[in-house]
Amino acid sequence: MKVLFDHQAFDMQTHGGVSRCFAELYSHRPSSLDVEISVRETDNVYLRDLGFGRTGEIYDRFMGMGNSGLKYVLFKLAMNFEYGYYSKLDRRPRLNLYESVSRLKKQDFDVFHPTFFDGYFLKHIADRPFVITVHDMIPELYPQYYAVDDIQILQKKAVIPKAAHIVTVSEQTKKDLVRMMNIPENKVSVVYHGADEEPYVRSEQVQRDYEYILYVGERHFYKNFASFSRDCIPILKRHRDLKVICTGMPFTSEELYFFDVYGMKDRFVHVFAKTKQELLDLYHDAVAFVYPSEYEGFGIPILEAYRAGCPVMLNRSSCFPEIAGDAAVYFRMNRNTSDFEEQFETLYRMDGNERALLLDRQKERLKMYSWKKSAQALADVYAGLK
């Protein structure tokens, strides 16, 4: 069976969960599937690791000419002529979009799987079936943070009902999708994310001279970072050698002001993990990885923490109990109440045997998730369309 992935997620992200998911599914596809990705050039780190050329290489090599206004015009005309897809004069040719449209028109595939919700393909797909993956329903569940005419919400409404089949990454996301978009349950299959199967080996580096709680990723809106930060204040006052390390974007001025007001400016530390190894090392050395989010579609950081041997603490919300089962310490955190401080102290006071038992449960839970299993489950979805 021949399957075509398009360019969308890889043009949207240099790195991130959606593009990583499709790159991993492509890499671990079973032999029964012939999968192609309609990308000619990219800055996406996952595709670059797979050997795809960087953005701009095609232009750099064009006619052996140095960079000039004439080269730009000739390149634009050549690409427009090659694809019969004309862009405005002041814009560079969108080669990956052109490539996707070209392959759609050729119809040389059995199933099309767009990597996001732009419905550009609907007028080109003819009678070929397409499968769409819904990673979460966050814009629909949190309308206070999104405009009514938010582009993702509109695109989902236009594309999802037309799909031959829909994939979600958790049962929770499936329930939300079925309820909020009135989709028949039998039209939706759950395909969990996977985990890297290479054994984690800690790199030889200087250890930090303090203990820390680890927070990974974005910190806005439903991520609950403000509540988490407030709950950490009494913990940090009680444990003078303990800090909070946050990855992702640097702290905002509002976050820095909050830390300063509570005398915690030096106790919240931002670390930019440049590589996957650096991130795994951060997990491994942490007292705990804490995921306080109100809602996630799946939660890949849970599996990353499992792999690195880091105790996991999760807000008992959305899909977290589904994904982690008994392999985590749970707390409840919302706008009105929180028992995070109490649950953290329970974990912090664990003796060696108790901590080892928790880590053993996490290792066992991790066995449920692999990209090979995910790719095979997706192949089964495609096969079911025949």
Side-chain angles (χ1 to χ4, degrees):
M1 177 177 284
K2 196 166 188 177
V3 178
L4 178 65
F5 290 171
D6 77 355
H7 64 287
Q8 292 187 66
F10 305 108
D11 280 1
M12 287 164 46
Q13 299 179 324
T14 57
H15 59 281
V18 176
S19 60
R20 180 187 174 187
C21 167
F22 282 100
E24 295 284 4
L25 292 169
Y26 173 81
S27 300
H28 294 85
R29 62 195 184 277
S31 57
S32 60
L33 285 186
D34 178 9
V35 182
E36 294 183 348
I37 304 176
S38 54
V39 168
R40 288 195 65 179
E41 56 179 20
T42 186
D43 290 323
N44 182 271
V45 295
Y46 313 114
L47 289 194
R48 293 295 304 280
D49 287 345
L50 292 172
F52 285 73
R54 67 169 177 81
T55 299
E57 281 186 3
I58 296 171
Y59 175 77
D60 290 344
R61 295 194 301 266
F62 181 69
M63 296 179 68
M65 300 170 63
N67 194 21
S68 67
L70 177 60
K71 175 178 179 177
Y72 180 83
V73 171
L74 292 175
F75 176 75
K76 190 177 188 66
L77 291 173
M79 293 300 103
N80 288 345
F81 180 77
E82 178 180 342
Y83 285 105
Y85 200 105
Y86 300 96
S87 59
K88 293 182 179 179
L89 290 175
D90 61 342
R91 295 182 186 173
R92 284 186 66 111
R94 295 179 59 189
L95 297 188
N96 293 336
L97 171 62
Y98 292 4
E99 184 68 16
S100 293
V101 171
S102 175
R103 296 201 189 193
L104 285 165
K105 288 179 176 178
K106 290 176 182 175
Q107 297 280 291
D108 186 23
F109 57 88
D110 300 300
V111 179
F112 178 56
H113 197 148
T115 55
F116 214 62
F117 303 110
D118 187 337
Y120 75 93
F121 59 88
L122 293 173
K123 60 185 177 183
H124 304 297
I125 198 169
D127 62 349
R128 292 290 195 275
F130 75 91
V131 171
I132 194 79
T133 296
V134 178
H135 294 265
D136 60 62
M137 295 294 290
I138 289 169
E140 293 80 7
L141 287 165
Y142 294 90
Q144 65 270 37
Y145 301 133
Y146 295 86
V148 176
D149 59 349
D150 178 83
I151 187 65
Q152 185 182 151
I153 294 174
L154 295 178
Q155 288 177 342
K156 278 182 172 178
K157 287 180 178 177
V159 169
I160 290 173
K162 295 181 175 68
H165 204 78
I166 304 159
V167 169
T168 64
V169 297
S170 65
E171 291 288 349
Q172 180 66 55
T173 302
K174 176 178 178 177
K175 289 176 185 175
D176 294 334
L177 172 68
V178 168
R179 174 174 58 86
M180 301 189 78
M181 293 193 68
N182 198 30
I183 302 294
E185 283 194 45
N186 62 3
K187 198 179 177 181
V188 186
S189 296
V190 175
V191 176
Y192 288 128
H193 287 315
D196 292 335
E197 297 184 66
E198 296 175 25
Y200 162 72
V201 178
R202 189 185 183 282
S203 60
E204 294 299 325
Q205 64 178 31
V206 178
Q207 290 189 355
R208 292 173 174 81
D209 58 358
Y210 55 85
E211 295 183 311
Y212 61 89
I213 300 166
L214 181 63
Y215 180 100
V216 172
E218 297 178 342
R219 301 187 296 273
H220 60 269
F221 306 149
Y222 59 90
K223 296 290 186 177
N224 248 353
F225 181 74
S227 297
F228 164 72
S229 299
R230 284 194 298 271
D231 284 0
C232 282
I233 300 300
I235 295 171
L236 296 177
K237 287 180 177 178
R238 190 178 302 117
H239 303 284
R240 295 292 180 178
D241 293 328
L242 186 66
K243 297 188 180 185
V244 177
I245 288 182
C246 300
T247 66
M249 297 295 290
F251 293 130
T252 65
S253 56
E254 291 83 2
E255 289 169 340
L256 291 172
Y257 176 76
F258 173 85
F259 304 151
D260 195 34
V261 165
Y262 283 92
M264 294 287 160
K265 193 173 182 179
D266 298 326
R267 307 291 295 280
F268 284 82
V269 180
H270 177 264
V271 174
F272 180 71
K274 302 181 189 69
T275 65
K276 189 184 295 185
Q277 181 67 41
E278 289 179 15
L279 180 59
L280 290 172
D281 289 343
L282 279 173
Y283 281 116
H284 181 76
D285 293 343
V287 172
F289 159 64
V290 180
Y291 214 160
S293 183
E294 291 179 20
Y295 182 93
E296 297 293 333
F298 180 88
I300 284 180
I302 297 170
L303 306 188
E304 293 173 339
Y306 283 178
R307 183 174 169 228
C310 174
V312 169
M313 295 191 68
L314 302 174
N315 195 1
R316 191 178 287 278
S317 64
S318 71
C319 68
F320 288 159
E322 173 190 347
I323 303 305
D326 67 348
V329 173
Y330 290 97
F331 56 90
R332 292 193 182 276
M333 183 183 293
N334 55 46
R335 294 178 184 86
N336 302 315
T337 185
S338 173
D339 66 349
F340 172 70
E341 181 183 351
E342 176 187 345
Q343 297 303 328
F344 176 80
E345 293 296 342
T346 298
L347 182 144
Y348 192 79
R349 291 194 298 268
M350 283 182 177
D351 61 29
N353 288 335
E354 291 172 319
R355 188 180 177 91
L357 285 172
L358 173 60
L359 293 178
D360 284 345
R361 290 199 300 273
Q362 293 184 180
K363 287 179 186 175
E364 194 61 30
R365 190 74 179 182
L366 184 61
K367 294 177 183 177
M368 290 178 54
Y369 305 101
S370 77
W371 286 114
K372 186 175 181 181
K373 289 180 183 178
S374 302
Q376 182 57 60
L378 187 59
D380 293 341
V381 169
Y382 297 148
L385 299 178
K386 288 183 177 179

